[in-house]
Amino acid sequence: MGLSMLGRGLLTLTSIPVILGAVVERAPGPSAQVETIERDVVIIGGGAAGSHAAVRLREDYKKSVVVVEKDVILGGHVDTYYDKNGAPHDYGVQCYFTYDDALDFIRRPALNLTLLPGLSRSATGFSATVRNIDFTTGKELANFTAPDAMVEIGAIVAMYQVLTSKGYDKMIEPGFYNLPAGPQIPDDLLLPVGQFAAKYNVSAALAKMYESTGGGPQARDTNFLNIMTLTFLQSFSPSWMKVFFGAADLFYVQGGNQKLYDAIATLLGSDVLYSTTVTSTERTPTGVKVTVRGPSGTKIIKAKKLLMAVPPTRENLAPFDLNPEETDIFAKPTYGRYGTAIVTHPKLTPGQELHNMPTSAVANPYAPFLNTAHVLTFSSYGTDTDLFSIGVSSSGSSYAAFDERAATRVAQQSLEKMAAVGTLPDLGCKKLAVVVWSDHGPGGFGVTPAEMRAGWMDRMYGLQGKRSTWYTGNAIAIDFTTQLWKMNDETLKRMLAAW
Ligand SMILES: Cc1cc2nc3c(=O)[nH]c(=O)nc-3n(C[C@H](O)[C@H](O)[C@H](O)COP(=O)(O)OP(=O)(O)OC[C@H]3O[C@@H](n4cnc5c(N)ncnc54)[C@H](O)[C@@H]3O)c2cc1C
């Protein structure tokens, strides 16, 4: 989450009153005093899934909750940067699309928000001049012709029809509760997406899909076409396809998408512990004890249920008391890393979008795939500002290695390549300035087709409710906000049924 939000987040933090309903216990020892918080549900992570679940559980189902969030604000992948004039610039989540009744969540009166049609970025009406440049050579592609939009949309429609006619959409949306057991998963869903597209003659859909999802699934893989279709569909779901042919609508929150999570933060008040992470857990079939550490020290949370609303990566699970079954399941997935930022450089021209387009796309514009860690675009916010947004995908680099420094280096090197061949003016030793950076964490979380066939997802979903622990979030469901909220609805229904 961006540093620009730190100030506002800290304000939120310091305004948090003493934890309501907390029981203060004296721990053994002469001076140690550890606060104990008792709640029905402890939620780990306050992104799209965790924040939504907290509101639904507390406001609609009258369960007491506490959210453990490592950042200083709620919202996860939502990033709104407010410039010096107070204008919002979303550089993470751009929109919420219609999916069942999910948008009603934003419309609830308690949040007092206004939804506007379109992408947040389209609010200014600005449209950039696109320059297609191979960032590995730095050269502008003079003879590049963009794919035919009608051909691309036609292929997306055709792919949607394949998925829905075979019932694949119902197996994967919004979560994988209806996915058949490993041996019965349709072969199609385990094919590399390139083979799936070729089999159904929809390869022309992939360029647009890549542009919209490249950073997510491709964070883990060097070759986009090799990504398992099921993993790919997590980031380009059948319901998201509907947006491209006008069968679903887009909205954003007036004033910046972060406003949604600021409103949720206000509503939840002291039920969120910010800048806080788990240090240990003890989970049993009848309840959990979670020890956390935050700005005011260590606290113990006792709850009837735990909802994991962070990706179950090795990093996030390190403090958890995993049993052998859980250890085995969570050892399998691989994932890369993705980041977004707002940057400036005096040699970037306001009003332009520099699009990273491999030279091979001149011959085949329908396959503009990049196979190294890369920036997809330097995208101007307008002719009257020097701000550009970038997204940086690790594409095969290890998760730990691809931090902000590594990603910024990739972006700086791209500019240097362009300057070296005259595509950009001489950089004059100036480095890219990162105005605000946001770590979007694991991308493409998932296992191999063989592990899926062997039942990894059944075993993963089979953990739901065991040891009082439930799972939600983008790593194990469709990776779009409104679809995750419906995944939550299903998960919470099951959790409450098992109360
Ligand atoms: C750049 C980008 C743009 C996107 N644009 C859109 C879009 O326009 N529309 C859309 O619908 N979807 C979009 N998505 C996808 C959408 O953002 C995700 O589906 C959604 O945010 C996932 O929610 P989540 O709660 O599972 O995870 P997250 O939103 O990542 O939330 C996880 C939360 O847990 C916290 N956390 C992580 N680790 C820990 C820990 N160990 N302890 C405590 N807290 C922790 C994080 O700080 C975060 O707040 C986009 C994603 C990205 C990366």
Side-chain angles (χ1 to χ4, degrees), residues 176-479:
F176 301 130
Y177 283 111
N178 296 324
L179 189 71
Q184 281 84 48
I185 295 175
D187 289 343
D188 278 349
L189 294 178
L190 305 188
L191 284 177
V193 69
Q195 281 184 35
F196 178 94
K199 176 176 174 183
Y200 291 106
N201 200 20
V202 293
S203 299
L206 292 181
K208 190 146 286 308
M209 293 177 168
Y210 175 76
E211 202 181 312
S212 148
T213 65
Q218 211 193 337
R220 95 146 187 250
D221 224 303
T222 46
N223 187 340
F224 173 72
L225 297 176
N226 282 346
I227 295 165
M228 182 167 59
T229 299
L230 190 120
T231 304
F232 167 78
L233 291 172
Q234 272 183 265
S235 293
F236 205 104
S237 66
S239 292
W240 176 240
M241 291 177 195
K242 289 166 79 174
V243 169
F244 288 77
F245 51 88
D249 296 319
L250 301 176
F251 293 91
Y252 67 97
V253 176
Q254 186 176 39
N257 285 322
Q258 183 60 39
K259 293 268 182 230
L260 168 61
Y261 294 92
D262 290 351
I264 293 174
T266 302
L267 183 66
L268 293 177
S270 57
D271 282 335
V272 185
L273 303 179
Y274 295 94
S275 304
T276 299
T277 50
V278 175
T279 56
S280 69
T281 63
E282 290 170 37
R283 294 169 300 136
T284 70
T286 54
V288 300
K289 181 175 162 191
V290 180
T291 307
V292 299
R293 189 176 304 130
S296 56
T298 296
K299 296 181 199 297
I300 292 170
I301 300 167
K302 290 181 179 169
K304 297 189 182 74
K305 313 279 181 204
L306 183 150
L307 180 65
M308 278 294 281
V310 294
T313 59
R314 284 173 282 288
E315 294 79 7
N316 283 339
L317 288 169
F320 279 71
D321 58 332
L322 300 184
N323 65 17
E325 181 189 25
E326 294 166 335
T327 302
D328 185 54
I329 290 170
F330 295 124
K332 299 279 192 300
T334 55
Y335 39 93
R337 202 163 181 179
Y338 185 66
T340 59
I342 293 184
V343 299
T344 62
H345 193 287
K347 302 300 176 184
L348 285 170
T349 307
Q352 290 191 354
E353 175 176 310
L354 310 183
H355 199 118
N356 192 352
M357 191 63 71
T359 306
S360 58
V362 173
N364 183 5
Y366 293 94
F369 314 125
L370 304 162
N371 56 12
T372 51
H374 61 266
V375 177
L376 190 59
T377 58
F378 288 86
S379 229
S380 171
Y381 279 100
T383 49
D384 54 351
T385 167
D386 61 350
L387 300 177
F388 282 72
S389 69
I390 61 170
V392 197
S393 179
S394 58
S395 295
S397 309
S398 84
Y399 176 84
F402 205 74
D403 56 7
E404 177 180 349
R405 261 179 78 174
T408 309
R409 201 177 314 124
V410 169
Q412 172 68 23
Q413 282 166 354
S414 300
L415 295 186
E416 285 167 7
K417 286 260 162 69
M418 291 182 234
V421 295
T423 303
L424 288 185
D426 183 74
L427 299 184
C429 299
K430 287 270 188 222
K431 295 279 182 209
L432 193 75
V434 177
V435 179
V436 60
W437 166 263
S438 180
D439 184 353
H440 288 281
F445 183 95
V447 299
T448 63
E451 284 158 351
M452 283 296 289
R453 181 63 81 215
W456 184 84
M457 196 63 88
D458 322 343
R459 295 178 68 215
M460 169 68 238
Y461 270 63
L463 291 179
Q464 295 284 25
K466 280 189 183 171
R467 305 181 73 202
S468 307
T469 305
W470 294 80
Y471 300 82
T472 184
N474 63 346
I476 61 150
I478 296 293
D479 193 2

Side-chain angles (χ1 to χ4, degrees), residues 45 47-49 69-70 77 93-95 310 316 473-474 479-481 484:
E69 168 56 52
K70 75 170 178 187
H77 292 307
V93 168
Q94 292 288 324
C95 62
V310 294
N316 283 339
N474 63 346
D479 193 2
F480 284 99
T481 308
L484 278 178

